[in-house]
Amino acid sequence: MGRRLTVVLMGYPEGLQVEPTNECNLSCVMCVRRTWRGGAFGFMDLGLYRRLVDEGSGKLRRLALYGFGEPLLHPGFPEMVRYAREVLGDSAYILTVTNGTLMSPARAAEVFGAGIDEVAFSVDAPELDLLSRIRVGVQSYDVLGNLRSAARLKEDYGVRLGVSLVLMKSNYRRLPRVAEAAGELGLDFLVVSHVVPYSPGMVGEAVYTTASRFSVEFYEKSGQDLSVLAREAMQDEFLLHYTYASRGKRKLYLQLVDRLASSGYSVNAEIARDALSKKSLFEEVQLYLKEAARIAEEYGVEVKLPSLYADAKRRSCPYIDSNYAVVLWNGDVVPCMDLAYTHPLYTNMHYKLVRRVVFGNASREPLGEIWESPRYRAFREARRKLSDNVPWCGDCPFATSNCWYVSANEFDCYGNEVGCNECLYSAGLAHCLV
């Protein structure tokens, strides 16, 4: 009797984000590239890229060709699109995000003709004056003209074209005009993401809070009572101990705490107070978001807008949900763009060092093997139900009290290796195009 042959099917990501280069021709005020700790710059080897695409044949459903650099700086970018289309066929969706500086009419025709499905222009304002203050160096290029030209070409090639915008205090009032311009150009989508503060100066540009709306509203109604009752409950304990009398403050305090606990949320008083101090700002920003959504709907432009509040109970990782892996220009395989490079983060009223997480290098071993490695599998599994398995520091009382778990991202207080407990992307405040 012959031996039975067991075939083990190797898992593979359904989506892949490939960084053609981390070089860029602009110096945007909010970009993480201004704050990187060490690391080299370069362009992905086309041989490595072809191996990635070949390995993904029949497996990949989506391919995102961009990273923390301008993808069109790579001299082989049109060829990257063309090769992927030939190998992956029509079953894979290919997209990119560009600052638009190099997307001249001729280059747009070349990239569109190579078979790309979707292109997003990063345009944070409808006029060059403000745009050049945000995306420093853009004044040397005709980005808005390139967008208009690409809009005229897109129908000929069946390409989805849209705008991605980083929302800040500097530009939120211009959002409806961006939506209107997108509609007038016949664009397909508008994606808005809050700024991620990589530097102290960007903290003041944020028009959102990391606190959950429930927590802020609870603090607004009961926060003062909670802090007062906490002191009075302690006094009641002493009074009860020595006089056997009670004013009932302990009972009232515990009832309030129980009500908060039963909700599944917690409250950080400092962060909640900060959110309340910006309540009028948030209300104004919300009006502009609604107006932009209304205009976009009028023109038939798809729009994705961020919330102004986090929600500790409704978090998810876009990379985990979509079974995505990320390969940087040098072959390093990382779980997401936020963990691609070591960088500072200023959130929840404190500084944090976010260290990069690398699971392997695709130039030395097949991506499928890296994807199925025990460490990478464990990382993904812990984040399948993110709200249950990963804490949220935006509501935690210890987040602003020098908690060890918020100073860096090695671990979180649930014991997960690599902390995603302050990830703005998981809370829907910042958006990835994947």
Side-chain angles (χ1 to χ4, degrees), residues 200-266:
M202 286 296 103
V203 174
E205 285 288 338
V207 290
Y208 61 89
T209 178
T210 54
S212 300
R213 183 186 290 272
F214 178 92
S215 302
V216 174
E217 292 176 349
F218 180 91
Y219 183 82
E220 185 176 22
K221 295 173 183 175
S222 308
Q224 187 64 32
D225 292 340
L226 193 64
S227 58
V228 171
L229 280 174
R231 292 193 298 271
E232 292 181 342
M234 184 66 72
Q235 292 168 359
D236 244 20
E237 281 295 293
F238 284 109
L239 187 66
L240 184 64
H241 179 75
Y242 289 108
T243 68
Y244 302 101
S246 171
R247 298 171 301 171
K249 299 298 185 180
R250 178 179 181 274
K251 182 179 179 180
L252 290 173
Y253 172 72
L254 291 177
Q255 286 175 345
L256 205 55
V257 169
D258 286 345
R259 184 150 59 89
L260 178 60
S262 65
S263 71
Y265 292 94
S266 58

Side-chain angles (χ1 to χ4, degrees), residues 67-122:
F68 281 123
E70 170 48 45
L72 268 69
L73 279 173
H74 196 298
F77 184 80
E79 174 57 27
M80 296 173 93
V81 176
R82 185 176 297 106
Y83 189 81
R85 179 57 68 212
E86 290 173 357
V87 173
L88 302 178
D90 293 333
S91 61
Y93 191 86
I94 306 171
L95 66 109
T96 192
V97 180
T98 172
N99 61 30
T101 57
L102 305 178
M103 192 67 87
S104 64
R107 179 58 67 87
E110 187 179 12
V111 173
F112 290 5
I116 203 160
D117 292 293
E118 179 180 305
V119 175
F121 273 60
S122 295

Side-chain angles (χ1 to χ4, degrees), residues 191-203:
V191 177
V192 180
S193 175
H194 283 300
V195 67
V196 179
Y198 300 117
S199 64
M202 286 296 103
V203 174

Side-chain angles (χ1 to χ4, degrees), residues 203-366:
V203 174
E205 285 288 338
V207 290
Y208 61 89
T209 178
T210 54
S212 300
R213 183 186 290 272
F214 178 92
S215 302
V216 174
E217 292 176 349
F218 180 91
Y219 183 82
E220 185 176 22
K221 295 173 183 175
S222 308
Q224 187 64 32
D225 292 340
L226 193 64
S227 58
V228 171
L229 280 174
R231 292 193 298 271
E232 292 181 342
M234 184 66 72
Q235 292 168 359
D236 244 20
E237 281 295 293
F238 284 109
L239 187 66
L240 184 64
H241 179 75
Y242 289 108
T243 68
Y244 302 101
S246 171
R247 298 171 301 171
K249 299 298 185 180
R250 178 179 181 274
K251 182 179 179 180
L252 290 173
Y253 172 72
L254 291 177
Q255 286 175 345
L256 205 55
V257 169
D258 286 345
R259 184 150 59 89
L260 178 60
S262 65
S263 71
Y265 292 94
S266 58
V267 174
N268 180 297
E270 291 179 82
I271 297 174
R273 278 198 301 269
D274 179 70
L276 287 172
S277 74
K278 298 172 181 174
K279 187 175 180 179
S280 60
L281 170 65
F282 294 165
E283 289 173 347
E284 183 180 351
V285 174
Q286 187 64 57
L287 290 176
Y288 280 95
L289 288 170
K290 286 183 177 179
E291 179 64 8
R294 184 193 66 77
I295 294 170
E297 185 179 359
E298 260 185 18
Y299 282 98
V301 177
E302 294 175 18
V303 62
K304 184 176 183 179
L305 302 175
S307 172
L308 299 178
Y309 295 82
D311 191 328
K313 294 169 66 175
R314 295 184 179 179
R315 289 175 292 128
S316 64
C317 173
Y319 286 88
I320 297 298
D321 292 348
S322 303
N323 280 322
Y324 250 81
V326 180
V327 182
L328 303 182
W329 70 272
N330 62 356
D332 283 346
V333 179
V334 301
C336 64
M337 290 307 293
D338 193 49
L339 298 175
Y341 295 93
T342 298
H343 63 269
L345 177 66
Y346 293 83
T347 188
N348 292 327
M349 300 181 175
H350 67 80
Y351 162 84
K352 182 190 196 84
L353 179 63
V354 178
R355 292 190 171 90
R356 69 195 303 253
V357 175
V358 180
F359 291 111
N361 188 285
S363 64
R364 296 192 289 269
E365 53 188 319

Side-chain angles (χ1 to χ4, degrees), residues 51-85:
R51 288 200 302 275
L52 288 169
V53 173
D54 290 345
E55 191 181 349
S57 179
K59 305 166 189 173
L60 284 178
R61 295 182 181 180
R62 291 179 71 88
L63 175 64
L65 293 175
Y66 77 97
F68 281 123
E70 170 48 45
L72 268 69
L73 279 173
H74 196 298
F77 184 80
E79 174 57 27
M80 296 173 93
V81 176
R82 185 176 297 106
Y83 189 81
R85 179 57 68 212

